Amino acid sequence: MAGSTVPSKVQESPEGDDVARRLLDSAAQLAYDPATEVDWETPLDKEFHGASPEWSSLYGTAYWGELTEAQRKELTRQEAASVASTGIWFEMILQQMVLRDIYMKNPAGAEFQWALTEIAEECRHSIMFARGAQKLGAPHYRPRRAVMELGRAFKTLAFGEAAYAAILVAEEVLDVMQRDWMRDERVVPFVRTINNIHVVEESRHMKFARDETLKRLEGAGWARRQINAFVVAVASYFIVTSMVNPEVYRKAGLDQRRALAAAKSNAHHKSMMRSSCSGLMDFLASARLLTKPALAFYKRANLI
């Protein structure tokens, strides 16, 4: 484990706050360098899954029952790589939004310094995910072109609570599934290490995103909450529905059309997503960001 380069104590400033200082202290005490922590040298052992089978988009379907164990393992490896690739895409959006948010803030402040620390961690995560997907034998999965362009607009225009709440949704959805994967001995060891690093460091990012969302919403009126609740829900829908690229089925040697149909109607996977997001939905409700239009998108994404 490598120590963070961030000093454990930062200069007091009006723009700093207790949450940012605590997060900086945490990063100073507990940070990882994936370049040395992850076993990149050992060849991929195809006797392992890439993710917990129960999180596969086909688990519990009739099609899953027909697959050989080797096909199931290959599918979970491709799905894990697809989730990692989606993570890279959104982490790039996140970094740009956070940089824009702190552009005019005091560099001596704890909030400014924490934001740069978070960006540094996200950079390491993106490289880690890229190397992990490559080692899993996956191609470069990415969201559909239309979604990529929507992401380009979102990272340019989103600000305040809309930006931080969307960051929170993406991080929390990944967090729950990765907590399962990192403890699962059926999952290939280097992926478990990747998940453990991400879970530990993202816990700080989620704390900051929750705090910033609530702080930015202080004094927000009805119209502002309605607009931002809708924007966050739409962004969440496209993030979640982009996690498993349709090409994973073809790459795993499956009938893509049949796999897509089975995944679309998979009650088990929908249940897993809903149960994993209960805490997140409680938070959004407490922040009054679960409006009727927003709920429609969360339901379509099987998050509620």
Side-chain angles (χ1 to χ4, degrees):
M1 183 171 67
S4 171
T5 58
V6 179
S8 60
K9 300 295 180 184
V10 298
Q11 180 178 340
E12 298 285 337
S13 84
E15 294 189 42
D17 58 35
D18 290 341
V19 170
R21 289 189 196 95
R22 290 198 299 271
L23 294 174
L24 280 166
D25 287 343
S26 173
Q29 297 168 30
L30 186 60
Y32 295 93
D33 181 0
T36 57
E37 294 287 340
V38 181
D39 179 7
W40 300 114
E41 302 304 320
T42 302
L44 174 66
D45 186 342
K46 293 190 175 182
E47 291 303 309
F48 287 93
H49 284 276
S52 297
E54 293 78 9
W55 275 101
S56 173
S57 59
L58 294 185
Y59 184 88
T61 65
Y63 196 11
W64 177 268
E66 297 175 19
L67 301 181
T68 66
E69 193 61 22
Q71 287 176 313
R72 292 173 180 175
K73 290 173 180 176
E74 181 61 29
L75 175 60
T76 61
R77 289 194 292 269
Q78 294 301 317
E79 288 179 318
S82 179
V83 169
S85 297
T86 303
I88 294 170
W89 166 64
F90 193 75
E91 283 179 347
M92 293 176 68
I93 292 174
L94 178 161
Q95 292 169 48
Q96 293 176 77
M97 292 193 297
V98 173
L99 274 174
R100 192 177 70 244
D101 188 54
I102 65 169
Y103 181 67
M104 295 291 288
K105 292 185 178 178
N106 181 2
E111 188 176 347
F112 183 96
Q113 292 180 25
W114 161 251
L116 291 184
T117 302
E118 178 171 343
I119 290 168
E121 290 182 343
E122 296 293 11
C123 286
R124 292 196 297 271
H125 294 169
S126 293
I127 296 170
M128 176 176 71
F129 285 160
R131 294 184 69 180
Q134 182 181 34
K135 186 167 179 176
L136 286 168
H140 179 199
Y141 294 121
R142 66 171 66 187
R144 291 178 289 113
R145 179 61 183 267
V147 176
M148 295 286 286
E149 294 304 325
L150 285 171
R152 191 190 303 275
F154 182 74
K155 62 91 176 171
T156 303
L157 301 173
F159 65 93
E161 62 269 20
Y164 283 103
I167 288 170
L168 180 64
V169 171
E171 290 174 339
E172 292 237 11
V173 171
L174 272 176
D175 181 72
V176 174
M177 63 177 68
Q178 288 185 327
R179 285 179 184 273
D180 284 349
W181 301 357
M182 74 182 193
R183 300 186 186 104
D184 193 338
E185 294 185 355
R186 297 170 296 176
V187 175
V188 66
F190 84 90
V191 170
R192 294 178 64 191
T193 304
I194 287 173
N195 292 329
N196 182 68
I197 292 172
H198 197 246
V199 164
V200 170
E201 297 188 341
E202 286 295 329
S203 65
R204 295 191 284 263
H205 304 181
M206 290 187 290
K207 172 63 177 174
F208 186 65
R210 283 175 180 255
D211 185 68
E212 287 297 308
T213 298
L214 294 176
K215 186 164 63 177
R216 305 306 175 90
L217 281 169
E218 290 177 4
W222 180 87
R224 178 172 157 185
R225 286 181 186 272
Q226 290 287 316
I227 292 169
N228 284 319
F230 182 75
V231 169
V232 172
V234 172
S236 303
Y237 171 80
F238 285 113
I239 292 166
V240 171
T241 56
S242 297
M243 284 187 170
V244 178
N245 190 297
E247 286 300 312
V248 301
Y249 306 116
R250 191 190 310 279
K251 180 65 177 176
L254 308 186
D255 181 326
Q256 187 182 54
R257 183 176 297 180
R258 186 180 175 195
L260 284 169
K264 186 176 181 179
S265 60
N266 189 353
H268 169 81
H269 193 258
K270 292 176 183 179
S271 176
M272 291 282 284
M273 293 296 293
R274 284 193 297 269
S275 62
S276 71
C277 292
S278 58
L280 171 63
M281 292 300 126
D282 288 344
F283 172 79
L284 293 176
S286 70
R288 289 186 288 161
L289 291 176
L290 279 188
T291 60
K292 286 186 178 179
L295 279 169
F297 278 89
Y298 289 126
K299 288 177 180 177
R300 287 183 64 188
N302 301 304
L303 298 183
I304 196 168

